[in-house]
Amino acid sequence: PVKTSSCKSFTIDGKAVASKVITPPAGGSATCKIVATAVNGRTKATYTIKVVSNRPITGIGLSSGKLSPSFSPTRLTYDVTLAGETPSVRITPTRTTGFNYTINGGAANTPATITVAPNATETATIVASYPGGSITYTVNVHRNGLLTDIDARDDKAQGVPLTFITTQTSYDVDVAADVDKVTITPAAVSGATYSIDGEQVASKEYSPAIGGSATAIILVSLNGEQMTYTVNIHRAEAPENIVAISGALNPVFRNDVFDYEIHLSHASG
């Protein structure tokens, strides 16, 4: 500050100094207060100065997917999720004139294409430079798998508990002992093909023995990329026997028979 003849003294942020360097963070701001005291020693005036730094980049553009959360100059980490059929995304930061950026150490001010394998994650590191320093932004690019669903249905046309998760490739399902068959039907992303246990079929039935298991192996292909999913089907044990207190089972108990009758005489109640 420069004193006038009516100013006795001044302070900057509470200190009696002649000057002070204010350095706001990139894309941010910093504030200082100047308190000037008049020659009478009583009258004071306060001045507030806000120093705003230009933003090296003002946005991050994507050819696919959506930046999460939305861009903010002071937020440094982001996520992008690509559909399973989308193998790459082109990242284009919007820079302020006079500032520069690189992506993963590439050429200055040049957009970059990030290629991601199915069910994988790759990282784009954007270094935005400004006079006296730089700021680093990280974009984690996630790609979903090549299936969008796996339907499991028993021979009673009821859904078998199987919660499909885009990043999960192995599943276990449990069925009751009286379920003879389970049908597995995958759903693939656009353009992908799949086989079940090496067969080019839309769905396949499995009949594990009582107390046993069966496994469906689903191989999904898309433009030279492949993913394997497995579904392990476990069938519950049956009881060793059923004993009637009165009367007799008809037919005689077998662990693979699930419907019986018991005929009681009038005297049995």
Side-chain angles (χ1 to χ4, degrees):
V2 178
K3 291 195 300 181
T4 65
S5 58
S6 61
C7 178
K8 178 181 179 181
S9 63
F10 62 81
T11 61
I12 304 176
D13 290 335
K15 295 183 180 180
V17 293
S19 62
K20 182 178 181 179
V21 176
I22 307 298
T23 306
S29 63
T31 301
C32 73
K33 286 188 177 182
I34 302 171
V35 178
T37 302
V39 293
N40 63 17
R42 298 185 305 273
T43 305
K44 294 184 179 183
T46 300
Y47 303 86
T48 301
I49 299 176
K50 183 178 182 180
V51 182
V52 180
S53 171
N54 286 331
R55 303 170 179 177
I57 61 175
T58 58
I60 298 176
L62 305 171
S63 61
S64 300
K66 182 180 180 181
L67 202 67
S68 178
S70 299
F71 180 79
S72 169
T74 56
R75 185 181 294 277
L76 304 181
T77 302
Y78 300 88
D79 290 280
V80 176
T81 299
L82 303 179
E85 62 266 36
T86 304
S88 63
V89 58
R90 186 171 177 82
I91 297 179
T92 307
T94 303
R95 68 186 180 98
T96 302
T97 302
F99 294 85
N100 300 297
Y101 71 82
T102 61
I103 303 177
N104 290 347
N109 306 323
T110 302
T113 297
I114 307 299
T115 300
V116 189
N119 202 30
T121 299
E122 297 292 341
T123 298
T125 302
I126 305 169
V127 179
S129 58
Y130 57 92
S134 64
I135 185 169
T136 299
Y137 297 90
T138 301
V139 181
N140 299 306
V141 184
H142 314 281
R143 182 181 173 190
N144 289 336
L146 299 181
L147 287 184
T148 59
D149 193 19
I150 300 174
D151 181 72
R153 201 159 294 274
D154 64 25
D155 52 359
K156 298 174 176 56
Q158 295 179 342
V160 175
L162 188 158
T163 302
F164 182 80
I165 301 172
T166 56
T167 57
Q168 185 173 326
T169 57
S170 181
Y171 298 86
D172 288 273
V173 296
D174 297 304
V175 297
D178 63 344
V179 172
D180 292 323
K181 296 178 182 180
V182 174
T183 301
I184 299 296
T185 306
V189 301
S190 177
T193 61
Y194 64 83
S195 63
I196 306 177
D197 300 333
E199 302 176 42
Q200 297 290 332
V201 291
S203 60
K204 187 173 180 180
E205 286 185 350
Y206 292 85
S207 300
I210 294 174
S213 299
T215 298
I217 300 177
I218 305 164
L219 178 63
V220 192
S221 302
L222 175 67
N223 299 326
E225 298 175 317
Q226 291 187 328
M227 281 189 70
T228 300
Y229 296 80
T230 58
V231 181
N232 301 302
I233 305 163
H234 309 285
R235 186 175 179 185
E237 294 276 3
E240 293 183 1
N241 197 6
I242 298 176
V243 178
I245 301 300
S246 299
L249 292 181
N250 184 24
V252 176
F253 177 80
R254 286 172 39 188
N255 69 356
D256 60 346
V257 175
F258 299 97
D259 293 305
Y260 299 89
E261 291 184 355
I262 299 175
H263 294 277
L264 302 176
S265 67
H266 181 72
S268 299

